[in-house]
Amino acid sequence: MILVKLGGSVITDKGRYRTFDPDTAGRLAEEIARTGQDVVIVHGAGSFGHILAKEHRLHLGISDGSQLLGASLVMSDVRELDLEVCRRLSAKGVRAVPLPPASCAAMRDGTLHHLDLDLFKAYLHLGMVPVTFGDVVRDEVRGLSICSGDQLMAALAKEFRPNKVIFVTDVDGVFTADPTQDPKARLIETVDQKVLDSLPRTERNVDVTGSIFAKIRYMIGMASLTNECLVLNGKVPGRLEAAIRGERVIASRVVS
Ligand code: IPE
C-alpha cells in the first residue's frame, strides 16, 4: 500500500481563502487512478482551513464560546474541500471513501490520541480507498484542536507500514532555503535529522499546524516505517504517477 498526502499547497491556493485548484486536483486524481495501486489518501486543508482556524485561534484550544462557531465554519469548509477532492477521485475511477477525522478521531492536548483504524481497514478490505484530511477534532483537554494531515499520516504509517509514503507539495522537495524567495535555494536530495537541524529557521508561512520544520519532523519520524519516504512537486504533471510506479523522480528522500 502507498500512503499519499496531497498537501494543501498543491490542491488550494494557500494565500486566498477557499481557493481550490480543480485542474491540479483532477490531474493528480488521474495519476493515482492510472497506477491502479492500493493507496490511502490524506489531504491538507490549505486555504479552506488555515486562514479561518488562525482567525479563531482554534490551534490554541477553546477558551471562549465564540470560537465554536469558527470551528463549525472551518469544519464545513474542509468538508467542502474534501468533497471536491473525492468527487475528482471517483470521477477518475478511484473508489474514494471520505473518513472525516472529527467523526473517527480524538485528540489529547493537541496530539492525535485515537484514530478508528478498524474503519480504515474495513474499507480497504472492501477494495475502497480511504480519504481523510486535516480537520477540527474534539480534544479531551482543549475542547477542540486541529488535527493536521501530517498527524494522520504518521498514525496511518504506524499501523499500515506502507511500501512508500509520498508527500505531494507545490515545490520539488525540501530546499536549503525558501525556493519561492531565494533563487540560490538548493533542493536537498536526502533529508535527515541532521539536515533539519541545519536548516535556517524562517518564520514565514507558519500556519496553525506549525512551520515546515514541524512537517519535516513528522516525515523523519515516519521514514523508519516505510521503504521510501518522498516529498515531491505535484504541480509537475506525471511526477506523482512516476513515483507511485517506483520510477526515480526529482524529489527529496526523507530518512530516519
Ligand atoms: C490543517 O491540515 C487542518 C486545518 C487547518 C483544519 P494540514 O496542516 O495537513 O494542511 P496543509 O497541508 O498544511 O494545508
Side-chain angles (χ1 to χ4, degrees), residues 225-242:
L225 306 171
T226 178
N227 296 328
E228 192 171 36
C229 180
L230 298 175
V231 187
L232 57 77
N233 193 342
K235 295 282 188 190
V236 180
R239 222 169 254 181
L240 173 61
E241 182 176 351

Side-chain angles (χ1 to χ4, degrees), residues 106-118:
M107 308 284 287
R108 187 178 281 166
D109 212 8
T111 302
L112 179 59
H113 154 69
H114 167 76
L115 182 62
D116 186 354
L117 292 159
D118 286 344

Side-chain angles (χ1 to χ4, degrees), residues 69-127:
L69 182 59
S72 173
L73 291 169
V74 174
M75 284 167 152
S76 297
D77 283 346
V78 292
R79 273 153 191 71
E80 262 181 72
L81 173 63
D82 181 60
L83 190 60
E84 296 285 3
V85 171
C86 287
R87 261 197 220 294
R88 271 150 191 93
L89 286 164
S90 47
K92 303 294 178 190
V94 178
R95 304 146 174 175
V97 51
L99 299 178
S103 318
C104 65
M107 308 284 287
R108 187 178 281 166
D109 212 8
T111 302
L112 179 59
H113 154 69
H114 167 76
L115 182 62
D116 186 354
L117 292 159
D118 286 344
L119 199 58
F120 285 77
K121 283 183 203 159
Y123 281 112
L124 275 171
H125 187 68
L126 204 60

Side-chain angles (χ1 to χ4, degrees), residues 180-247:
T180 62
Q181 302 290 306
D182 184 348
K184 289 207 281 291
R186 250 185 335 98
L187 180 68
I188 305 171
E189 278 198 21
T190 307
V191 178
D192 59 12
Q193 186 61 47
K194 231 170 93 195
V195 168
L196 178 61
D197 293 340
S198 71
L199 287 178
R201 305 278 143 173
T202 150
E203 287 308 306
R204 257 193 87 249
N205 290 334
V206 176
D207 53 33
V208 290
T209 50
S211 63
I212 177 78
F213 301 100
K215 292 180 190 286
I216 300 173
R217 208 170 299 123
Y218 275 113
M219 293 172 193
I220 292 173
M222 250 175 277
S224 61
L225 306 171
T226 178
N227 296 328
E228 192 171 36
C229 180
L230 298 175
V231 187
L232 57 77
N233 193 342
K235 295 282 188 190
V236 180
R239 222 169 254 181
L240 173 61
E241 182 176 351
I244 294 175
R245 290 189 192 282
E247 293 163 23

